[in-house]
Amino acid sequence: MSFRTATAVDYVEDVSPGSGALAPRARYESDATSLSLNGSWRFRLSETADAEDDSFAAEGYDAGDWAEVTVPGHWVLQGQGSPIYTNHLYPFPVDPPHVPTENPTGDHLRVFDLPEDWPALAEGGAVLRFDGVESCARVWLNGTEIGEFKGSRLPHEFAVGHLLKAAGNVLAVRVHQWSAGSYLEDQDQWWLPGIFRDVTLLHRPTGGALDFFVHASYDHVTGEGALRVDSDVDGRVIVPALDIDVATGETATAAVRPWTAETPRLYDGELVTDGERVPLRIGFRTVVLEDGLIKVNGRAVLFKGVNRHEWHPEKGRALDLETMREDVLLMKRHNVNAVRTSHYPPHPAFLDLCDEYGLWVIDECDLETHGFVEQEWRDNPVDDDRWTPALLDRAARMVERDKNHPSVVIWSLGNEAGTGRGLTAMAEWIHGRDASRLVHYEGDIDCRDTDVYSRMYASHEEVERIGRDLDGGTHKRRELPFILCEYGHAMGNGPGGLADYQRLFESHERLQGGFIWEWIDHGVKDDRYGYAYGGDFGEELHDGNFVCDGLLFPDRTPSPGLVEFKKVIEPVAIDGDGTDGTVRVTNKQDFADLSALAFEWSYQVDGETVESGVLNVPSLAPGESADVKLPEPPADARGAETQWTVRALLAADTPWGPKDHQVAWGQLPVATRPAPRVAPTDGPVVGERLITLGPAAFDARTGALRTIGGVSVEGLRLDVWRAPTDNDEGAAWQSDIRHGALWRKLGLHRMRHRVDAVELGEDALTVRTRVAPAAWEVGLATVYRWTSDGNRLGLTVSVTPEGDWTVPLPRLGVRFGLSEADRVTWFGGGPGEAYPDTRAASMLGRWQSTVDGLQTPYVRPQENGARADVRWAEIGGLRIEGDPEFWFTARRWTTEQLDAARHRTDLVPGGTVWVNLDHGQHGIGSQSCGPGPLPQYFLNAGSAEFSFVFSQAE
């Protein structure tokens, strides 16, 4: 007979949510005294949960030789252990609810005195609040155990008034990295143990507020708001601006301006009880499911959203207020209107900011059991009744904490947790507790428990079928609105295809938008690599740089993907035919008119603005359009390329952006440029080792270009290889066709160049070659035809595929090296990079940069930095004109070196600048987790001809 004895750490593997904590309630500040316990704490790390007894919690314990850590913080980011990154695999054996004996455990100690203004201990009580601890904590105050809890991203409060003393209070917290709760927290993020959110001591005065629920609805027909505050403690609700002064539980009505993400009107109010005054920020709005649509204040909304993990490259998930504010301001300035709090409730201050600045929020519960997919969801906690109390506790702690935020319009049960009875219980509880919002869960494919049909990474084709109501499914699902809760996977270079998704969203009423995955790269600042990702800390299991899949780089610099998204979702459409003298302006907002915007026009000749002015655009209501007359164009500019550019700018400073911040723009071509031509007047002249042609010299044996004027040129030849992007490499679960692997299998990264003939004509030098990979019979017959008019050098490249090409090409163009180059000027798309399906934000103009400034610093190096639609570029003393327009790239390392690099620090500049002039590029897509490029963005092998004109730069 065998048996397992109970130990002092059995709570770690208990499936219950914990013990000792108070019931969840609304989060609020008040005039009651409080004390932040953030700061420096004494810290001791043990390898197992039971390595040390609890004597450290006693008064008088000497922890003078312990280390120190900052709270909020993660000990693994403060030199105590190492972080672990997995996407969905549990980094411990899957044997619920058990966790390994090797369980890093951090003992935390904080000694504090009550401030002088703290009320007498006999007056009222006190609550100790933890806003976030990963993953399980046991707490003592002055030697008395007060409880233990799980639910890392959720608040837990404990009544401690009876234990407090004026000075020398000892707060002891034992935190375990792994617990039964870890099975419910398998989100795609770093595993980072610690007390990572605020710790606060709150005085609770006699007669103070406890919990309350602000109900503030809006009738879009009458324009009236209805306010009722249900409170556990009787009091009064005062809203001076609305002349409201009513008892709690009573309803007051008034004419109000409603709250929306576009017009976030908040009314300052106050809940007054006998012992406490609680400030309120009230937003009147009504959320309903009506006519198969999500409607707010009577109008259907279109979510232009992002998924947001909390992240800081040095502090992990321990975010301060200014970092959260920076996130919100960046979102607003990039036209984002919605956030899904993937995959847990955020720090409560973030929701305050969403209320203030205006963002729709899907508030998601701290729940994911994704690792159980590896065993076909067997033993999944969400379908095991023993775990249901923990699931309901997590749902309640989210809803009760955040229920008074007008920005929260949808509750989400969690993410990628399969299906089961526990999720149904959560949905039923939330629907019963709060009928004023909708419920979301992507995994509920039949929409049994949810109010929204939600999917991840559905292809454009499938989304269109859903938009046309051709997707089938249960009767209930067919009557529900559709959102993509995740799409446009922003890993590395990308995501591609966003404009194509947006066209679908705007074409079909049922499609109510989506949320890009995700907001920020989770790179950890690291002296070795710049930013570290999965595997860089010696993890046994990891998912590499899959944790770096954001629209922001780790330092919060916007990526080209965010710039593209801003353009794709801009709230004003500006288009038309530039030749007819009018521009069509359309208000694409759901609620606001255009009165907050000012419009400007400018007229460009060959990329340079020659005139500009104010454009008078009527204050269009949502959905309205107007054709606006443009001024007379400037004097005749025959022989030049001309266009109008119209911009929508903030007319005045706003809380989130300064006056003249650009919100939207459009360009209207007027006249196209003449194609560059070289009239051949010079013929090639053969010397002993060189062939000269106009300003150029070529190798007499191979026909390779050596110099143009005084500029040395190295290795000019056809190039088809690019360092595969994360999206080129693709995800196995999305498709068997992953172009990066196919390109390598075919050998496109190791093409061989054979010279078949060097032919001297009367007015041309022709070099015939075959470009092909070893081991395969496919190839590209490539002909370089050089001509000159004495001053300029023309090159025409003709490419003919040979053999059966079954895969598209990564790129098609020429590459060469320049020994001295730094400044770059070009007329074409800019200022940032663009590719065939990521070019909406590429604005035609004349731009300047350094070579280093052309690089996009993806955390894992890969193809980057191409400028689209380039007419001409000047670099290293050369001017290069193209026919047709070309893609321009320049970098201080070869494509092969870029391909081999795994971190930014692997890229060491060399003495040569390598320039690519591409006739074509393969699309980007988002196959790192989503679909690949659409077929129209494939660079299929086919006959092609393209030309360049080289001359000395002025």
Side-chain angles (χ1 to χ4, degrees):
M1 179 178 180
S2 63
F3 59 90
R4 183 171 181 267
T5 59
T7 72
V9 296
D10 275 358
Y11 64 90
V12 173
E13 295 183 341
D14 192 332
V15 300
S16 75
S19 63
L22 297 171
R25 62 176 181 141
R27 167 64 178 252
Y28 55 87
E29 306 298 331
S30 76
D31 64 346
T33 306
S34 66
L35 174 65
S36 171
L37 297 178
N38 296 345
S40 180
W41 290 50
R42 289 291 181 176
F43 177 80
R44 175 181 65 188
L45 181 63
S46 304
E47 293 184 358
T48 66
D50 57 357
E52 302 285 351
D53 61 26
D54 58 9
S55 60
F56 80 103
E59 296 179 78
Y61 183 87
D62 183 6
D65 60 347
W66 287 20
E68 292 188 25
V69 296
T70 298
V71 172
H74 307 277
W75 70 69
V76 294
L77 296 182
Q78 300 184 62
Q80 304 286 334
S82 298
I84 298 170
Y85 168 60
T86 59
N87 168 30
H88 73 278
L89 295 175
Y90 289 105
F92 47 79
V94 180
D95 182 24
H98 305 301
V99 295
T101 299
E102 298 80 16
N103 187 357
T105 295
D107 290 334
H108 298 69
L109 269 179
R110 177 79 151 85
V111 179
F112 65 93
D113 301 334
L114 295 180
E116 292 183 1
D117 62 348
W118 194 270
L121 294 177
E123 297 178 7
V127 166
L128 178 64
R129 182 175 67 208
F130 294 88
D131 279 315
V133 182
E134 183 175 332
S135 75
C136 173
R138 186 180 178 192
V139 186
W140 297 261
L141 181 61
N142 292 330
T144 299
E145 182 176 351
I146 59 175
E148 47 84 15
F149 62 91
K150 308 176 189 76
S152 297
R153 268 68 71 173
L154 296 162
H156 293 82
E157 294 183 329
F158 298 89
V160 296
H162 60 294
L163 299 175
L164 284 175
K165 54 186 182 178
N169 293 283
V170 178
L171 176 58
V173 185
R174 174 164 285 171
V175 180
H176 307 283
Q177 174 154 22
W178 310 122
S179 69
S182 301
Y183 285 98
L184 304 180
E185 296 171 4
D186 190 27
Q187 293 101 338
D188 174 12
Q189 61 180 345
W190 294 96
W191 299 87
L192 298 174
I195 305 172
F196 68 95
R197 287 186 185 160
D198 305 292
V199 182
T200 311
L201 184 69
L202 306 166
H203 179 249
R204 302 309 305 136
T206 302
L210 294 175
D211 188 25
F212 59 89
F213 196 162
V214 177
H215 302 276
S217 60
Y218 177 71
D219 186 327
H220 65 278
V221 176
T222 65
E224 280 195 335
L227 175 64
R228 186 186 79 250
V229 177
D230 295 332
S231 174
D232 288 353
V233 175
D234 290 342
R236 299 200 68 78
V237 178
I238 302 168
V239 187
L242 299 177
D243 197 25
I244 289 176
D245 184 347
V246 295
T248 53
E250 295 182 358
T251 299
T253 60
V256 300
R257 290 167 54 196
W259 188 97
T260 74
E262 296 168 7
T263 57
R265 179 65 166 94
L266 293 173
Y267 290 89
D268 290 327
E270 199 171 36
L271 169 62
V272 181
T273 69
D274 287 344
E276 191 170 17
R277 303 179 79 92
V278 180
L280 305 177
R281 303 208 76 191
I282 303 165
F284 291 88
R285 55 107 187 94
T286 297
V287 184
V288 297
L289 179 64
E290 183 178 84
D291 302 323
L293 299 172
I294 303 166
K295 292 185 178 181
V296 179
N297 303 337
R299 294 174 181 250
V301 296
L302 184 62
F303 294 121
K304 303 170 182 178
V306 295
N307 285 275
R308 176 185 176 271
H309 269 299
E310 294 180 306
W311 186 250
H312 186 281
E314 297 174 87
K315 301 175 183 177
R317 287 188 285 278
L319 267 60
D320 57 66
L321 178 62
E322 287 313 304
T323 298
M324 290 183 267
R325 189 185 306 276
E326 185 178 358
D327 278 348
V328 171
L329 293 178
L330 281 167
M331 289 176 190
K332 294 293 290 186
R333 291 169 185 170
H334 287 85
N335 296 330
V336 171
N337 74 359
V339 181
R340 176 179 175 230
T341 69
S342 54
H343 297 295
Y344 42 83
H347 190 289
F350 180 77
L351 296 180
D352 291 336
L353 296 169
C354 293
D355 294 342
E356 178 183 351
Y357 292 102
L359 289 166
W360 308 117
V361 174
I362 296 180
D363 199 356
E364 192 149 272
C365 193
D366 189 9
L367 172 62
E368 181 167 336
T369 65
H370 199 175
F372 285 91
V373 71
E374 297 297 324
Q375 52 197 54
E376 298 180 345
W377 298 105
R378 186 174 60 256
D379 298 326
N380 186 7
V382 304
D383 200 29
D384 183 335
D385 291 339
R386 294 175 301 166
W387 295 79
T388 299
L391 302 182
L392 290 172
D393 180 76
R394 289 172 183 247
R397 290 189 182 279
M398 171 183 70
V399 171
E400 301 297 3
R401 189 196 78 168
D402 298 342
K403 59 182 177 281
N404 294 326
H405 288 282
S407 57
V408 177
V409 292
I410 297 176
W411 301 115
S412 179
L413 303 182
N415 184 68
E416 291 177 314
T419 57
R421 291 163 287 176
L423 289 164
T424 298
M426 292 171 70
E428 290 176 347
W429 184 89
I430 294 174
H431 276 121
R433 176 60 173 144
D434 180 18
S436 68
R437 295 176 174 94
L438 308 183
V439 171
H440 165 274
Y441 178 63
E442 181 268 344
D444 184 10
I445 196 68
D446 293 328
C447 301
R448 181 182 62 180
D449 300 321
T450 56
D451 303 309
V452 182
Y453 178 30
S454 175
R455 291 286 304 283
M456 295 180 180
Y457 306 110
S459 68
H460 298 80
E461 179 184 15
E462 183 178 2
V463 170
E464 183 166 22
R465 287 201 307 272
I466 294 170
R468 295 180 181 275
D469 296 327
L470 301 176
D471 58 306
T474 62
H475 178 73
K476 180 182 179 184
R477 191 179 89 181
R478 295 197 306 272
E479 293 184 338
L480 293 180
F482 176 81
I483 63 169
L484 277 170
C485 68
E486 294 179 22
Y487 82 112
H489 196 253
M491 185 177 177
N493 188 334
L498 297 184
D500 304 277
Y501 274 117
Q502 196 65 25
R503 280 190 287 271
L504 293 173
F505 297 157
E506 294 175 4
S507 299
H508 303 286
E509 189 178 48
R510 185 187 184 192
L511 307 180
Q512 293 197 249
F515 297 78
I516 298 294
W517 185 267
E518 66 164 300
W519 178 237
I520 188 169
D521 286 344
H522 300 199
V524 177
K525 191 172 182 181
D526 189 285
D527 292 338
R528 301 167 298 167
Y529 306 123
Y531 292 105
Y533 49 75
D536 289 337
F537 298 98
E539 299 102 307
E540 180 182 41
L541 293 174
H542 67 85
D543 286 284
N545 67 310
F546 201 69
V547 75
C548 295
D549 46 11
L551 294 169
L552 297 180
F553 295 124
D555 63 358
R556 283 182 161 72
T557 299
S559 76
L562 181 56
V563 177
E564 176 80 356
F565 191 47
K566 175 186 178 181
K567 174 62 178 170
V568 165
I569 61 173
E570 60 189 9
V572 181
I574 299 170
D575 50 32
D577 180 357
T579 62
D580 72 357
T582 62
V583 59
R584 170 157 283 236
V585 178
T586 302
N587 182 358
K588 298 168 75 172
Q589 297 178 109
D590 295 324
F591 298 93
D593 62 24
L594 298 187
S595 59
L597 300 179
F599 290 79
E600 293 183 355
W601 63 267
S602 60
Y603 191 79
Q604 286 85 40
V605 175
D606 285 340
E608 290 193 303
T609 296
V610 295
E611 286 192 25
S612 62
V614 174
L615 186 68
N616 293 316
V617 175
S619 183
L620 301 171
E624 285 189 343
S625 298
D627 292 319
V628 181
K629 183 68 175 174
L630 291 164
E632 288 298 316
D636 181 42
R638 282 180 292 183
E641 182 169 5
T642 56
Q643 67 179 9
W644 297 98
T645 299
V646 176
R647 293 177 169 86
L649 313 172
L650 287 181
D653 290 346
T654 72
W656 55 264
K659 181 180 183 295
D660 296 330
H661 166 77
Q662 182 171 283
V663 173
W665 58 271
Q667 292 187 307
L668 292 69
V670 178
T672 59
R673 68 177 180 128
R677 291 285 184 265
V678 170
T681 59
D682 284 23
V685 178
V686 180
E688 183 178 349
R689 294 185 178 180
L690 296 175
I691 300 170
T692 59
L693 176 62
F698 301 81
D699 185 283
R701 184 177 60 86
T702 64
L705 178 66
R706 293 290 182 240
T707 62
I708 301 175
V711 179
S712 296
V713 178
E714 178 184 347
L716 188 149
R717 61 188 188 179
L718 190 78
D719 190 19
V720 299
W721 182 242
R722 75 183 186 194
T725 68
D726 291 313
N727 289 305
D728 291 336
E729 300 289 15
W733 60 84
Q734 278 294 335
S735 173
D736 293 334
I737 301 174
R738 292 183 287 163
H739 287 121
L742 293 174
W743 292 338
R744 290 188 196 277
K745 180 180 179 181
L746 189 57
L748 300 188
H749 60 310
R750 49 177 177 80
M751 300 291 275
R752 306 295 176 86
H753 297 253
R754 186 184 75 209
V755 178
D756 290 336
V758 178
E759 300 172 354
L760 282 69
E762 288 186 6
D763 60 0
L765 170 64
T766 302
V767 181
R768 301 185 185 278
T769 70
R770 188 174 192 270
V771 183
W776 298 91
E777 63 178 359
V778 297
L780 299 169
T782 306
V783 179
Y784 307 92
R785 187 173 188 273
W786 299 94
T787 58
S788 177
D789 62 5
N791 295 312
R792 300 183 300 160
L793 182 69
L795 167 64
T796 297
V797 183
S798 302
V799 181
T800 304
E802 296 177 343
D804 184 16
W805 283 85
T806 58
V807 299
L809 299 173
R811 70 176 348 129
L812 181 66
V814 296
R815 178 175 69 166
F816 58 89
L818 299 173
S819 59
E820 293 185 11
D822 183 36
R823 300 296 305 180
V824 183
T825 303
W826 74 99
F827 173 26
E833 73 179 26
Y835 290 83
D837 54 349
T838 66
R839 64 194 301 172
S842 182
M843 178 184 283
L844 184 62
R846 195 173 295 197
W847 308 101
Q848 290 188 344
S849 175
T850 61
V851 170
D852 293 339
L854 293 175
Q855 314 311 305
T856 303
Y858 294 112
V859 173
R860 185 191 75 82
Q862 55 198 271
E863 166 63 34
N864 74 89
R867 268 55 180 182
D869 304 314
V870 176
R871 279 73 166 148
W872 57 257
E874 292 183 351
I875 181 173
L878 287 181
R879 179 181 175 92
I880 308 157
E881 301 170 79
D883 180 23
E885 294 81 16
F886 57 98
W887 308 84
F888 176 84
T889 310
R891 52 178 68 102
R892 298 188 187 277
W893 35 78
T894 65
T895 299
E896 291 73 21
Q897 290 168 328
L898 182 63
D899 188 12
R902 292 295 170 261
H903 296 89
R904 295 180 183 178
T905 50
D906 295 335
L907 293 171
V908 180
T912 301
V913 170
W914 293 95
V915 177
N916 278 90
L917 312 176
D918 290 317
H919 178 62
Q921 280 267 0
H922 187 65
I924 297 295
S926 64
Q927 202 179 342
S928 52
C929 192
L934 287 167
Q936 60 264 37
Y937 303 120
F938 278 34
L939 181 60
N940 294 313
S943 296
E945 185 172 284
F946 47 96
S947 300
F948 303 100
V949 176
F950 299 87
S951 59
Q952 288 187 293
E954 297 178 0

